[in-house]
């Protein structure tokens, strides 16, 4: 049975923010379902499906994914291709190399919690950041990404990423919070208890508590 894609309310909201009309949103959803049918019925890769699309269809994907440049299918990774055909809200996007960065076309997006993290981790993060400004949450996502994956150079993390099972095991979570609090202690030693450092302490406590 071919699965059907129904855009979430969050995806529709994002598409409207990208100045897409209702007609374009409907066309995008239809295109996703046609691509899904092609992938499931023929076993073709996302990149192969994109190669068969018209210039108009690729332009629609470009707008839906808020990409600055035209889509050059030949230059895409399989991850970048797959995520062009996914929900804009990141609910079904993939991180095939588990580096914490989600390729959408040629664009690279830092996402925290990682898309490969278990649902309970994502729910805990939502609880820990509830009520925060979107800009503050984005800054904290970058902060947490760097804590998990380190500073990346040439598109590669500074250390080999742990598997999701290891990273979000009880031992992996304990190690993560040990790292976070050690870094915070170092910051406080240099700066004192600034408002930002107090905010980090509160976030860590809420996130750890929500993780149970």
């Amino acid at each position: 049975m071919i699965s059907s894609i129904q855009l979430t309310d969050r995806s529709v909201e994002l598409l409207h923010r990208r100045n897409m009309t209702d007609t374009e949103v409907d066309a995008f959803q239809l295109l996703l379902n046609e691509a899904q049918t092609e992938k499931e019925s023929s076993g073709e890769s996302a990149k192969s499906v994109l190669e068969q699309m018209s210039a108009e269809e690729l332009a629609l994907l470009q707008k839906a994914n808020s990409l600055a440049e035209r889509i050059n299918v030949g230059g895409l990774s399989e991850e970048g291709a797959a995520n062009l055909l996914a929900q804009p809200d990141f609910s079904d996007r993939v991180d095939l190399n588990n580096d914490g960065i989600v390729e959408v076309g040629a664009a690279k997006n830092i996402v925290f919690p990682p898309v490969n993290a278990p649902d309970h981790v994502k729910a805990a993060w939502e609880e820990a950041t509830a009520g925060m400004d979107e800009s503050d949450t984005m800054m904290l996502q970058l902060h947490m990404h760097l804590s998990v994956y380190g500073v990346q150079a040439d598109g590669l993390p500074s250390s080999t990423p742990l598997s999701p099972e290891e990273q979000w095991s009880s031992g992996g979570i304990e190690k993560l919070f040990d790292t976070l609090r050690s870094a915070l202690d170092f910051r406080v030693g240099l700066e004192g208890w600034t408002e930002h450092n107090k905010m980090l302490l509160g976030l860590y406590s809420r996130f750890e508590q929500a993780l149970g």
Side-chain angles (χ1 to χ4, degrees), residues 184 187-189 191-202:
L184 181 58
R187 289 176 64 106
V188 170
E191 307 166 351
W193 281 105
T194 63
E195 290 303 313
H196 180 74
N197 289 337
K198 291 177 183 177
M199 182 269 291
L200 289 177
L201 178 62

Side-chain angles (χ1 to χ4, degrees), residues 31 49-63 69-73:
L31 187 58
V49 171
L50 289 175
E51 287 171 342
Q52 301 170 40
M53 289 188 178
S54 67
E56 290 76 14
E57 289 171 328
L58 291 175
L60 181 63
L61 289 180
Q62 177 188 345
K63 186 173 183 180
E69 303 293 335
R70 291 182 181 179
I71 296 171
N72 174 18
V73 179

Side-chain angles (χ1 to χ4, degrees), residues 3-22:
S3 57
S4 177
I5 296 175
Q6 181 68 38
L7 294 175
T8 65
D9 290 343
R10 175 60 175 165
S11 288
V12 173
E13 177 189 348
L14 289 169
L15 293 171
H16 284 154
R17 283 192 194 179
R18 295 165 187 174
N19 296 318
M20 293 186 72
T21 65
D22 288 338

Side-chain angles (χ1 to χ4, degrees), residues 21-135:
T21 65
D22 288 338
T23 299
E24 288 175 318
V25 171
D26 290 342
F28 174 64
Q29 179 169 289
L30 178 61
L31 187 58
L32 293 191
N33 277 288
E34 290 174 345
Q36 183 75 4
T37 298
E38 183 66 23
K39 287 190 295 180
E40 294 189 10
S41 62
S42 67
E44 291 193 20
S45 67
K47 194 168 180 177
S48 295
V49 171
L50 289 175
E51 287 171 342
Q52 301 170 40
M53 289 188 178
S54 67
E56 290 76 14
E57 289 171 328
L58 291 175
L60 181 63
L61 289 180
Q62 177 188 345
K63 186 173 183 180
N65 288 284
S66 193
L67 301 176
E69 303 293 335
R70 291 182 181 179
I71 296 171
N72 174 18
V73 179
L76 300 180
S77 66
E78 185 57 32
E79 179 180 315
N83 287 324
L84 287 173
L85 301 172
Q87 294 267 1
D89 66 358
F90 279 82
S91 60
D92 61 352
R93 287 186 166 166
V94 295
D95 177 10
L96 298 180
N97 60 353
N98 193 43
D99 64 352
I101 292 179
V102 177
E103 297 176 44
V104 182
K108 296 185 178 183
N109 302 272
I110 287 175
V111 180
F112 189 88
V115 296
N116 292 342
D119 287 342
H120 75 273
V121 174
K122 297 173 184 178
W125 179 256
E126 289 295 321
E127 182 178 337
T129 58
M132 299 188 72
D133 290 341
E134 187 172 355
S135 59

